[in-house]
Amino acid sequence: MELFDVYPILDIELTKSKGVYVFDKQGHMYLDFYGGHAVISIGHAHPNYVQSLTEQIHKIPYYSNSVFIFQKKKLAHLLGCISGYKNYSLFLCNSGTESNENALKIASFYTGKKKIIAFKGAFHGRTSGSVSVTDNYKFVSPFDAQHETLFIDYKDIEMLEKKLKQGDICAVITEGIQGVSGIIDPGFDFFCKAWSLCKKYHTVFIIDEVQSGYGRTGSFFSHQLYPIKPDLITVAKGMGNGFPIGGVLIHPKFKPYHGMLGTTFGGNHLACTAGIVVLEIIKKENLIENAKKMGKILFQELRMIPKIKKIRGRGLMLGLEFDFPIHDLKNILIYKEKVFVGISNNSCVLRLLPPLSINVNHIKLFLKKLRNALAYLDEK
């Protein structure tokens, strides 16, 4: 049997990782400034992480939600304390798209409505509900298209109010910062007005922090830069540092009942152990503050490179915009300079999503590699 070929794959096989580095089977070392789509939050193979998961495997790696799982309670408590959302509830699942599916479902149960407002350039996942609020026709099958979604431009607040005023909108969903579209921050004005309008028209406000959460932007959630409190917050990527886990933080106005939501694997012993140790390391090593500090240094240094026309984002969630397609630049960085970076739907934007544990020396090394790659590109 062959694999179903749906991924463009780099000709690299990784066999080992440590800190901010990964190693291929030939022994080459790569600086990881992409973190596997922003998943690696605390660094690769952190010793506390490895130890915690190993110990849990020897105890009990899995049982279903039909039994009491202490680790779920501990994870929820830690997440509430560190994120600042102590009075919210937590539903655990396995991935970002599941987090968004469940958030949309909670909103629909609550309002009795089904129309959703999303935003141009959005990416919320690939399962049916999540992909219906994702702005990319390539991912949406005829089956998915049965959902009712309106896509609005972030700048068109008048249109947002016009649609909300009609009274048939279930929820508004937005990323904290759009990732796949090239690091697009909706900004202070949008978040304050959108939140206010949702309250005014009794519409559920969902913020997808799957990529922009867990300290990546220098705040636990990117939206915490603004004076708002969404009804539902979705998380995943950095939550397990590579172990599949996702969740929804749920405002106390939503009342649960047995059977409302469910998951076979979500919130299992091993997943929650991963989630707990990630939060403990984030707190102990001050990784949120480090992301903020290193992000500022990286931003300032990148501004000194003339070929970069614009830098978007905050903390360690940055998009570098060039005035040329970056496909060749990305390949030179990966294959020649041995540094992992990411692309986006904008062909001129390079994405940087390194572990939150990077230091100044890693930044200096990355800048050297980026300059080398740009110089090599000029010579071709």
Side-chain angles (χ1 to χ4, degrees), residues 205-225:
F205 191 39
I206 305 169
I207 299 188
D208 174 346
E209 293 273 13
V210 167
Q211 188 172 133
S212 55
Y214 262 71
R216 178 149 296 281
T217 63
S219 306
F220 192 87
F221 292 126
S222 66
H223 72 262
Q224 288 174 314
L225 193 66

Side-chain angles (χ1 to χ4, degrees), residues 184-197:
I184 307 298
D185 188 346
F188 183 94
D189 192 52
F190 165 80
F191 275 109
C192 292
K193 287 181 178 177
W195 182 57
S196 178
L197 288 172

Side-chain angles (χ1 to χ4, degrees), residues 53-256:
L53 267 66
T54 302
E55 289 176 357
Q56 188 60 49
I57 285 173
H58 286 297
K59 293 174 183 175
I60 175 170
Y62 171 81
Y63 206 78
S64 74
N65 289 295
S66 60
V67 300
F68 175 76
I69 299 173
F70 166 75
Q71 289 88 343
K72 285 174 67 175
K73 297 280 285 185
K74 184 175 181 180
L75 176 56
H77 175 73
L78 271 174
L79 181 53
C81 291
I82 294 173
S83 71
Y85 281 93
K86 281 185 180 181
N87 66 327
Y88 279 46
S89 299
L90 177 65
F91 176 76
L92 289 165
C93 50
N94 307 286
S95 65
T97 191
E98 286 184 45
S99 300
N100 287 322
E101 287 278 345
N102 282 291
L104 293 167
K105 186 177 284 191
I106 292 166
S108 187
F109 275 131
Y110 181 76
T111 62
K113 301 170 186 176
K114 61 180 180 178
K115 284 187 181 178
I116 306 294
I117 290 177
F119 295 89
K120 291 178 181 177
F123 182 91
H124 296 288
R126 291 176 182 267
T127 51
S128 190
S130 300
V131 82
S132 75
V133 292
T134 290
D135 186 23
N136 191 323
Y137 72 92
K138 293 180 181 178
F139 304 157
V140 183
S141 73
F143 170 73
D144 302 321
Q146 296 177 67
H147 298 280
E148 294 187 50
T149 303
L150 303 170
F151 288 100
I152 294 175
D153 192 287
Y154 277 128
K155 296 176 183 177
D156 200 348
I157 295 294
E158 286 185 15
M159 179 60 72
L160 178 61
E161 180 161 22
K162 180 182 176 182
K163 295 299 182 181
L164 290 175
K165 200 180 280 187
Q166 293 174 5
D168 61 348
I169 302 299
C170 166
V172 171
I173 184 169
T174 176
E175 290 155 272
I177 294 177
Q178 285 187 344
V180 174
S181 280
I183 316 298
I184 307 298
D185 188 346
F188 183 94
D189 192 52
F190 165 80
F191 275 109
C192 292
K193 287 181 178 177
W195 182 57
S196 178
L197 288 172
C198 283
K199 288 200 297 181
K200 180 179 179 179
Y201 295 107
H202 309 290
T203 306
V204 176
F205 191 39
I206 305 169
I207 299 188
D208 174 346
E209 293 273 13
V210 167
Q211 188 172 133
S212 55
Y214 262 71
R216 178 149 296 281
T217 63
S219 306
F220 192 87
F221 292 126
S222 66
H223 72 262
Q224 288 174 314
L225 193 66
Y226 315 120
I228 64 171
K229 283 249 180 177
D231 299 303
L232 300 164
I233 305 161
T234 59
V235 291
K237 292 187 183 296
M239 191 177 188
N241 204 57
F243 198 98
I245 185 171
V248 188
L249 281 70
I250 304 164
H251 189 284
K253 72 182 181 183
F254 300 99
K255 304 303 178 187

Side-chain angles (χ1 to χ4, degrees), residues 233-340:
I233 305 161
T234 59
V235 291
K237 292 187 183 296
M239 191 177 188
N241 204 57
F243 198 98
I245 185 171
V248 188
L249 281 70
I250 304 164
H251 189 284
K253 72 182 181 183
F254 300 99
K255 304 303 178 187
Y257 58 86
H258 290 182
M260 179 183 183
L261 306 174
T263 167
T264 297
F265 297 107
N268 68 71
H269 297 77
L270 202 52
C272 289
T273 298
I276 289 164
V277 72
V278 164
L279 288 173
E280 288 174 343
I281 292 167
I282 284 174
K283 184 177 181 181
K284 182 180 179 182
E285 298 185 5
N286 297 313
L287 293 186
I288 297 174
E289 184 59 34
N290 190 65
K292 185 177 182 179
K293 183 180 176 182
M294 292 301 111
K296 283 181 179 177
I297 293 170
L298 181 56
F299 192 99
Q300 289 165 1
E301 292 295 326
L302 288 167
R303 289 176 62 188
M304 307 299 289
I305 300 176
K307 287 189 183 299
I308 300 173
K309 302 307 175 186
K310 186 183 285 187
I311 307 168
R312 295 201 286 264
R314 281 183 274 127
L316 297 178
M317 185 176 185
L318 298 177
L320 313 184
E321 185 171 338
F322 297 84
D323 59 6
F324 56 85
I326 54 88
H327 179 265
D328 289 344
L329 175 61
K330 178 210 74 172
N331 285 339
I332 293 166
L333 281 166
I334 294 173
Y335 290 109
K336 185 175 175 62
E337 291 299 321
K338 301 291 188 287
V339 55
F340 276 107

